[in-house]
Amino acid sequence: MMGPAHSLSGAAAWLGVGAATAAAGHAMPWPVLVVGALICAGAALAPDLDHKAATISRAFGPVSKALCEIVDKLSFAVYKATRKPGDKRRTGGHRTLTHTWVWAVLIGGGASALAVTGGRWAVLAILFVHLVLAVEGLLWRAARVSSDVLVWLLGAAGAWILAGVLDQPGNGSDWLFTAPGQEYLWLGLPIVLGALVHDIGDSLTVSGCPILWPIPIGNRRWYPIGPPKALRFRAGSWVELKVLMPVFMLLGGVGGASALNVF
């Protein structure tokens, strides 16, 4: 799928989690719901860091472009080293390593560890990166006609404000993990969810997605999971723009309202 649909699906997924926790009697504080949705929207763009034309590869200028080159080469190397006879020959790493559950867990776990050990500045860095990506995905029309610097300033200001809100007692810095020193350990959860939602979205397209790697399926280790070919669509097609994106917005609205006990 394209960036806007990925971001919308990520935000909707976290709002759905918020609705589920509220129904279970453990409602999220509203700052956790909002921040988690924004992080998940940004994280839902991150697996495409292996593609030089993707939104994330352009979002941070030369830094993200250089990182894209590294991730693409790393992904391609892992693909070549682990492929089985049934896996196709490739010339690049797009839709390989970064589009697996292993990558999602590693990135989310790494973010949680960084948030716990790195203190406030690490939390601000995590929020900044994902808020910039959320702006690029959710407000893509405005972001494309704005300067990168303006988007970065918006991400930095949002990160500073939201971190301050979360730090207030009862607002969620210690949501889910309450032991001393475990504040913000939950930040990795929307990152894992965003990456997995991205992979599920890509699995609906013509090419499928090797979410289950390294689990072998038949004579392939990079098996492209997806529905029957008749039910798949091309990225950017009318199905994505006219059907899926409105559905994501509707589900996100219902999930957010349920999480906040509006109904």
Side-chain angles (χ1 to χ4, degrees):
M1 292 196 295
M2 304 299 286
H6 279 310
S7 283
L8 278 173
S9 65
W14 186 258
L15 293 172
V17 171
T21 60
H26 299 284
M28 294 179 184
W30 71 264
V32 173
L33 185 70
V34 172
V35 172
L38 291 172
I39 291 176
C40 204
L45 296 180
D48 277 342
L49 189 56
D50 59 5
H51 194 303
K52 64 181 180 181
T55 300
I56 186 174
S57 300
R58 305 188 309 267
F60 299 97
V63 173
S64 53
K65 288 181 180 179
L67 189 56
C68 171
E69 292 287 342
I70 295 171
V71 171
D72 178 49
K73 287 181 172 56
L74 172 64
S75 298
F76 186 44
V78 172
Y79 181 86
K80 289 195 299 181
T82 63
R83 65 186 290 267
K84 295 189 70 174
D87 293 312
K88 297 179 180 179
R89 293 188 177 276
R90 301 178 59 98
T91 58
H94 181 49
R95 284 205 188 183
T96 55
L97 180 61
T98 62
H99 287 68
T100 66
W101 70 270
V102 175
W103 180 270
V105 171
L106 288 176
I107 294 299
S112 288
L114 180 62
V116 171
T117 60
R120 180 174 177 80
W121 288 107
V123 170
L124 287 171
I126 293 169
L127 291 177
F128 167 71
V129 168
H130 289 89
L131 287 180
V132 168
L133 293 177
V135 170
E136 293 280 1
L138 297 175
L139 304 177
W140 64 278
R141 293 185 186 275
R144 288 188 178 181
V145 298
S146 301
S147 69
D148 288 341
V149 174
L150 183 60
V151 175
W152 298 341
L153 288 174
L154 180 59
W160 187 270
I161 293 170
L162 291 174
V165 172
L166 286 169
D167 282 340
Q168 297 299 314
N171 274 4
S173 63
D174 59 349
W175 176 72
L176 199 59
F177 302 97
T178 58
Q182 292 184 353
E183 294 83 3
Y184 291 109
L185 186 60
W186 61 271
L187 281 184
L189 297 178
I191 294 174
V192 173
L193 181 61
L196 292 177
V197 168
H198 177 111
D199 297 344
I200 293 171
D202 277 355
S203 73
L204 301 176
T205 63
V206 173
S207 300
C209 188
I211 306 173
L212 296 181
W213 179 89
I215 301 171
I217 298 178
N219 66 341
R220 306 181 70 173
R221 195 179 301 279
W222 296 89
Y223 189 88
I225 299 296
K229 290 186 177 182
L231 299 178
R232 301 187 190 188
F233 59 88
R234 293 190 178 278
S237 69
W238 67 270
V239 175
E240 179 178 338
L241 300 176
K242 303 296 185 181
V243 178
L244 292 181
M245 289 180 66
V247 167
F248 294 151
M249 287 188 279
L250 177 61
L251 292 177
V254 172
S258 299
L260 296 173
N261 293 315
V262 173
F263 296 142

